[in-house]
């Protein structure tokens, strides 16, 4: 029986030069095409059915690494992933009718 696993990719890529920006965009596009979803900026996740699938996708990840930057991969079980807590700060703006109308004016 295969166990569902969650791959989480964390990355910091340079985006100073045009070449760096293109490499970062190419890496993000690879992640999306390979079935990853953005969890938050520079953190992408995908689900795999068992360790064989994790190994396959880890190899695909290695083949698509940009030449610069820092990439980390964490693999956990889906049960461990389900225990995630999402902690949010205060709202950036008030969602009252008046604030929405002000946003529409500008």
């Amino acid at each position: 029986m295969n166990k569902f696993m969650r791959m989480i990719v964390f990355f910091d890529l340079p985006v100073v030069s045009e070449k760096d920006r293109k490499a970062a965009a190419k890496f993000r596009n690879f992640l999306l095409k390979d079935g990853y979803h953005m969890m938050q900026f520079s953190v992408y996740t995908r689900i795999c059915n068992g360790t064989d699938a994790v190994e396959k996708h880890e190899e695909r990840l290695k083949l698509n690494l940009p030449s610069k930057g820092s990439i980390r991969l964490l693999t956990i079980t889906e049960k461990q992933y389900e225990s995630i807590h999402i902690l949010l700060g205060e709202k950036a703006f008030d969602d009252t009718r008046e604030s929405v109308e002000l946003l529409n004016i500008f």
Side-chain angles (χ1 to χ4, degrees):
M1 181 173 113
N2 280 338
K3 185 183 269 192
F4 285 108
M5 306 292 289
R6 183 72 64 150
M7 297 176 70
I8 306 171
V9 176
F10 308 84
F11 60 91
D12 289 315
L13 300 176
V15 290
V16 176
S17 72
E18 181 67 24
K19 184 178 178 181
D20 290 341
R21 284 191 295 278
K22 284 184 181 182
K26 183 178 177 185
F27 183 68
R28 284 190 302 271
N29 286 332
F30 157 74
L31 291 173
L32 293 171
K33 288 178 185 172
D34 201 45
Y36 290 83
H37 300 279
M38 188 172 75
M39 188 172 170
Q40 64 186 58
F41 294 120
S42 300
V43 180
Y44 285 67
T45 181
R46 73 161 286 133
I47 194 165
C48 291
N49 188 5
T51 55
D52 289 343
V54 168
E55 290 171 9
K56 177 184 89 170
H57 286 285
E58 184 174 353
E59 288 305 313
R60 291 172 55 92
L61 191 60
K62 288 176 183 176
L63 291 173
N64 287 278
L65 293 177
S67 60
K68 297 179 183 176
S70 172
I71 289 98
R72 287 170 173 71
L73 171 64
L74 173 65
T75 304
I76 59 175
T77 66
E78 189 61 14
K79 184 155 181 82
Q80 290 170 321
Y81 183 78
E82 288 172 1
S83 70
I84 196 167
H85 292 219
I86 299 172
L87 309 174
L88 302 173
E90 293 181 26
K91 286 184 186 179
F93 65 92
D94 187 20
D95 257 348
T96 63
R97 179 178 161 90
E98 294 80 22
S99 65
V100 172
E101 288 175 3
L102 284 174
L103 288 173
N104 288 333
I105 292 171
F106 296 104

